[in-house]
Amino acid sequence: MRTKNLFKSVLFLRIVLLFGLFIILLIGGFTYQHISNLTDSTKIVISTYDVNVELEHINSYLSDAESGHRKYTLTKDALYLVPYIDARENINNSILKLKKLTIENAIQQKNLAVLNNLIDKLFTNFSKTDVLVKNDEINTESFKSRLFEEKIILDSIRRQVKEITDLENKLLDDRQKDYQSDLRFTPLFFYLILLVTLVIIIIAFSKINTNLIKIKAQNDQLLIFKESTNQSEIIGKHGNWVWHIDSNIFTYSDNLYRLLGEEPQSFEANFDNFLKFVHPEDVDRLSKELDNMIEVEELPFVSYRIVQKDGTIKHLKAYAKAFYSTDGQKRLLGITSNITDEIENFLELEERNLELERNNKELSAFNYAASHDLQEPLRKIQTFVSRLEEKEADKFSDSGHQYLERIKSASARMRALIDDLLQFSRTNKPDKEFVIADLNELFENAKQDVAITILEKKAQIKSDNLPKAKVIAFQMQQLFLNLLSNSLKYSKKETYPVINMNYSKVKATDEPHLLKATKDQYHKITFTDNGIGFDQKYAEKIFDLFNRLHNKQEYSGTGIGLSICKKIIENHKGFIFAKGEINAGSVFTIYLPFS
Amino acid sequence: MQNDYIHLILADDDEDDRLFFTDAFSELKMNTRVNTFNDGVELMNYLNKEDALMPNVLFLDLNMPKKTGIECLIEIKANTKMSGIAIVIYSTSASEEDIEKTFVLGANIYIKKPGDFKKLKKVLSEVVSINWQYHTNSLNKDNFLLRL
């Protein structure tokens, strides 16, 4: 964003400067024109003066010629003819000069031609007079008419000269007016140029100044950012690199060198130098990935190993993303991270997991085999006892019968224990298959399994409609069965058991029990009975394996049933809680994640 | 079934179980003739004899030394001479795994040895009086394990 603004301001600056230069050029052009106009005017004024001067010369030469000629007429001395002859020559020269000076003015040229004619006429007349003088015909009529004609010609010449002078003066007047106006505007132009230049310089300066301030602030920020990047690279064990693809130039951050076990900037940053550190087995793969980076804008992580000069092997992970600079150059910005610790931890963890898994398997196999192998001798004891009871019962004394009964109940109890243990080890097995099952059906099946007890105890079971859920079906049925038989087993002797099963869908946040819940919604199923209950202080203990709250003579139980329940619920990532009140009943609440 | 008695064979390495088995049938008075073998090898040797008298029902324990019940089952089912024998798995365990396996291999019924002699007699008499033709046709995984 900021760089964009800066870029804009640079553009603005360029436009202002170009505009200023254009204006200065424009004004300069105008000024040049004015000055050249001025020079022209000056030239013209000078030429007018020259014209006037030449005309004056002509006048004076004419006077010289006239007076010289007169003196000659009076004295007949040829000496006086010299100025007269010189005048003739001088006048011709002057006329030539005038013709040159007025070459651009057709009227003056015409006037000059007339003047020239008149002068020629005058000198012709002088020559004719001279002839008369030589013949001494001075007082003749023809001499007088010559003199008269001379006067007329001279008058005409003077008029003509005056006319030329007047016209020239009039032209001079006009030109002087132009010259004045030119002279008036010239300083204004100069001033304008100065002003505009000044404004442009001020605008440019202030713009450059604000840009400089901005750049300085950004530089400061960049410096801070760079330093914090350095720090975070050291702490986070990663380094960054930039690849200018078009010019094939690399830059590596200091910490990238440290990752390789080298001093910062100790070798030239390029891919070949980097490859020297890469583990020989990973070189091909990494080179391929780098080629890939040019094509793809964003790459998945690349993991590879490096070998430091001291032989240490490190695991590195790199990630790169293409970006384009403001001038459209493609660059690849990469982060390379040292993941050696993570990899080592992961490997260790994996090994531990495997060990745990092995242990678990062994334990489960042991549990299963133990329970299974224990069954066989027990079954035989039971069979022999039943044989004894059937065939030899009449040979026993009363105490013999009693002992037989004791053996029977002890072996029955052992059978129950082994069955439950087997069941427990089965719930521990890892092969759990989750399927969508109708919980109502599973509950009905469980009810069927205890149907005889229900009949015997005249138990009343009321149940809500249950939903379908993704469960390990046989385990859920086992759970229902265990909870039902638990309630039936620990019923009060004097009252018929009443078991209520209630269902609701709940939000985890609404249930105080579910502080550690990982899902938002749960199926909540409660089993409430009117049995003998238990002391609330044992609410957690009753789920422990082999934990019993009553002695064996009172209530037959193995202390495994509720542990199985807990195990099953844990397998389903649910929760089970018990609440009891002595002689009032107990409530078991189970939560199953809603999926 | 040309004979007027039912010929039964039990292969079980456990002496007590063999005793219970023969006792049960002698008490049942069902006109049966019972032969027992101590392990899978003995059983197969007998069955493979030219003039062997094939049993009507063969009871197989699973966990036997030398040759297990499963191995016997596979051999019998592979032999056309014997494959028609009704085979009852007679085992202490009733693990899902064993039930599944023997069912797939073609056993006809699965009995878990009961811990009560009366129950033993009941379950044996039930098995022997099964109409095998009917049972085999409607055999499925649910009625494979005989429940009492």
Side-chain angles (χ1 to χ4, degrees), chain A residues 44-284:
Chain A
I44 287 163
V45 168
I46 288 167
S47 95
T48 308
Y49 277 118
D50 285 349
V51 168
N52 282 349
V53 166
E54 283 310 318
L55 284 172
E56 281 305 313
H57 283 165
I58 288 176
N59 265 342
S60 98
Y61 295 146
L62 279 176
S63 296
D64 285 353
E66 192 196 359
S67 75
H69 192 259
R70 196 146 302 161
K71 282 172 189 160
Y72 169 72
T73 315
L74 286 176
T75 59
K76 293 182 190 168
D77 189 346
L79 177 81
Y80 295 108
L81 274 180
V82 176
Y84 159 76
I85 293 161
D86 284 352
R88 175 68 207 181
E89 210 168 300
N90 286 334
I91 285 169
N92 278 346
N93 283 339
S94 288
I95 291 284
L96 270 175
K97 271 189 192 164
L98 281 170
K99 272 189 180 166
K100 257 185 203 165
L101 283 168
T102 59
I103 196 129
E104 281 164 6
N105 196 325
I107 300 168
Q108 291 296 60
Q109 290 276 317
K110 229 176 174 177
N111 283 340
L112 274 175
V114 171
L115 182 65
N116 205 19
N117 273 342
L118 284 170
I119 288 169
D120 282 348
K121 237 172 158 182
L122 182 67
F123 278 91
T124 318
N125 204 42
F126 278 152
S127 306
K128 284 174 181 168
T129 317
D130 287 351
V131 175
L132 288 176
V133 171
K134 276 178 187 165
N135 297 338
D136 277 336
E137 293 170 31
I138 295 171
N139 285 320
T140 59
E141 278 305 307
S142 75
F143 184 76
K144 279 179 190 167
S145 77
R146 286 282 160 226
L147 281 182
F148 184 67
E149 199 168 323
E150 186 189 306
K151 183 194 167 342
I152 288 168
I153 294 169
L154 269 170
D155 284 349
S156 300
I157 287 173
R158 288 203 175 94
R159 265 201 314 276
Q160 190 64 25
V161 167
K162 196 178 179 307
E163 199 174 307
I164 293 172
T165 313
D166 283 354
L167 188 63
E168 203 61 30
N169 282 342
K170 194 183 165 280
L171 277 173
L172 181 68
D173 260 10
D174 289 351
R175 277 161 194 168
Q176 237 156 2
K177 264 184 211 157
D178 281 354
Y179 177 72
Q180 287 298 329
S181 78
D182 279 353
L183 215 59
R184 213 173 30 247
F185 282 119
T186 307
L188 196 67
F189 269 117
F190 274 121
Y191 188 64
L192 262 177
I193 293 172
L194 204 72
L195 221 63
V196 170
T197 315
L198 218 65
V199 167
I200 289 166
I201 287 173
I202 286 169
I203 290 175
F205 175 76
S206 80
K207 199 69 212 171
I208 288 169
N209 203 35
T210 49
N211 281 357
L212 270 179
I213 291 169
K214 265 190 209 162
I215 287 170
K216 195 178 172 307
Q218 280 176 5
N219 271 344
D220 279 351
Q221 283 225 311
L222 271 177
L223 217 65
I224 294 169
F225 183 70
K226 197 184 160 199
E227 200 42 49
S228 78
T229 309
N230 276 341
Q231 295 295 324
S232 76
E233 282 190 359
I234 292 170
I235 293 168
K237 292 179 190 165
H238 59 84
N240 75 64
W241 45 270
V242 182
W243 181 16
H244 306 258
I245 290 173
D246 297 318
S247 51
N248 198 26
I249 290 173
F250 284 83
T251 50
Y252 293 165
S253 76
D254 287 356
N255 210 45
L256 193 66
Y257 287 91
R258 291 190 198 107
L259 288 186
L260 300 174
E262 296 295 308
E263 286 296 311
Q265 312 299 333
S266 56
F267 61 84
E268 196 200 333
N270 63 42
F271 190 57
D272 288 334
N273 279 341
F274 190 83
L275 272 185
K276 287 177 192 161
F277 290 90
V278 176
H279 195 286
E281 287 170 21
D282 293 349
V283 168
D284 283 351

Side-chain angles (χ1 to χ4, degrees), chain A residues 432-443:
Chain A
K432 295 150 195 159
E433 197 189 348
F434 279 84
V435 290
I436 304 273
D438 186 354
L439 295 183
N440 294 307
E441 210 174 283
L442 300 178
F443 183 71

Side-chain angles (χ1 to χ4, degrees), chain B residues 58-114:
Chain B
L58 170 65
F59 291 80
L60 262 182
D61 183 24
L62 289 181
N63 204 356
M64 290 186 290
K66 296 181 196 167
K67 198 173 263 182
T68 67
I70 300 272
E71 285 167 318
C72 297
L73 178 61
I74 294 169
E75 271 184 51
I76 290 165
K77 285 295 163 187
N79 190 325
T80 43
K81 203 177 98 186
M82 310 170 196
S83 59
I85 305 168
I87 292 173
V88 179
I89 303 298
Y90 184 62
S91 171
T92 312
S93 100
S95 78
E96 292 287 336
E97 203 186 323
D98 288 341
I99 294 171
E100 174 89 29
K101 207 182 224 170
T102 51
F103 176 72
V104 171
L105 287 174
N108 299 74
I109 206 156
Y110 196 112
I111 305 172
K112 194 185 170 203
K113 293 173 186 170

Side-chain angles (χ1 to χ4, degrees), chain A residues 368 372-387 389-391 408 415 419 422 426 429 474, chain B residues 14-17 19-20 23 27 63 90-98 112-118 120-121:
Chain A
Y368 182 78
H372 182 263
D373 289 354
L374 283 172
Q375 271 186 326
E376 201 150 301
L378 176 65
R379 181 178 49 78
K380 280 185 203 159
I381 293 168
Q382 285 184 309
T383 315
F384 277 119
V385 169
S386 70
R387 293 289 279 147
E389 203 179 17
E390 210 177 302
K391 282 175 93 175
K408 267 170 73 183
R415 159 70 47 133
D419 281 349
L422 257 175
R426 268 176 65 191
K429 274 193 175 173
F474 81 91
Chain B
D14 192 297
E15 196 191 342
D16 295 333
D17 278 329
L19 178 69
F20 292 146
D23 277 4
E27 281 185 24
N63 204 356
Y90 184 62
S91 171
T92 312
S93 100
S95 78
E96 292 287 336
E97 203 186 323
D98 288 341
K112 194 185 170 203
K113 293 173 186 170
D116 185 291
F117 193 70
K118 273 186 208 155
L120 178 67
K121 283 202 286 189

